[in-house]
Amino acid sequence: MIIHTTNFFKVVNMIKKIFLLLIILLFSVSVAFATNMNDLEIPHDFSGKKADGKYFIPKAYDNPRFIIEEVNDNSPNFKNSSLYGFWPSGEENIYFFSNHQVSDMGGIELIEMDGKKYTVSVLYASTLIDEDYLQDSLKYLKEFNQKNNITPIKP
């Protein structure tokens, strides 16, 4: 009788482990499919949505802007073109940028969601390259990534 009881408890424990594994697997799959562009959380200093929820303005003033845009083949993003220059920020796959007249500057990264690629950028309007603005843009992008469990990809 003792041998049968021991086997019974082993089977029950194995069923519990399998059931727990199935619950974890189901939860993981549902989280992976649940995230889309409309579910993204933006950094705490921004509010207000424009252009289908992809353009955010700051809460306090009109500088900087937080922008999420789908990448298309004609986009100059991450290419040192005649309009913009890009350089590494020190964080993997996050870059700083400015136009050559230094009226636009900030941080930018590339992410992939639902099989599409998007740029996420923090844009400041400034008449000179301001190191504080660059560091703030990096801080906002890192906060965005952390809130949404996103890792930027290589452009």
Side-chain angles (χ1 to χ4, degrees):
M1 206 37 116
I2 295 175
I3 294 173
H4 294 291
T5 307
T6 306
N7 286 337
F8 176 75
F9 286 118
K10 285 182 181 178
V11 170
V12 169
N13 282 336
M14 185 172 21
I15 290 172
K16 285 180 182 179
K17 288 178 184 177
I18 291 171
F19 185 68
L20 180 63
L21 182 64
L22 287 174
I23 289 174
I24 292 171
L25 181 63
L26 180 63
F27 178 73
S28 299
V29 170
S30 66
V31 168
F33 286 107
T35 305
N36 64 43
M37 288 303 294
N38 295 328
D39 294 335
L40 293 175
E41 292 185 48
I42 59 172
H44 69 282
D45 284 345
F46 297 89
S47 68
K49 295 181 181 182
K50 294 184 181 179
D52 299 326
K54 297 177 184 162
Y55 179 79
F56 302 92
I57 57 175
K59 290 179 183 176
Y61 50 92
D62 201 25
N63 202 14
R65 293 186 178 356
F66 189 85
I67 304 167
I68 302 172
E69 293 180 301
E70 187 173 348
V71 174
N72 61 44
D73 293 334
N74 299 326
S75 174
N77 294 326
F78 304 105
K79 299 173 189 164
N80 284 325
S81 66
S82 60
L83 295 177
Y84 287 92
F86 297 88
W87 64 96
S89 70
E91 292 290 326
E92 188 172 2
N93 297 327
I94 300 177
Y95 298 87
F96 291 136
F97 69 90
S98 76
N99 67 354
H100 295 294
Q101 293 81 26
V102 195
S103 60
D104 293 335
M105 60 179 294
I108 190 168
E109 66 185 10
L110 184 65
I111 64 171
E112 188 168 1
M113 292 186 70
D114 301 327
K116 296 180 182 177
K117 292 182 179 178
Y118 299 88
T119 57
V120 180
S121 61
V122 178
L123 173 69
Y124 282 89
S126 177
T127 56
L128 56 99
I129 293 181
D130 187 320
E131 190 63 35
D132 290 337
Y133 283 171
L134 293 177
Q135 292 307 313
D136 282 348
S137 67
L138 183 60
K139 177 188 76 167
Y140 289 130
L141 289 173
K142 288 169 64 176
E143 179 183 341
F144 171 79
N145 294 341
Q146 183 180 16
K147 281 184 169 191
N148 297 292
N149 196 24
I150 290 176
T151 302
I153 62 173
K154 188 173 181 113

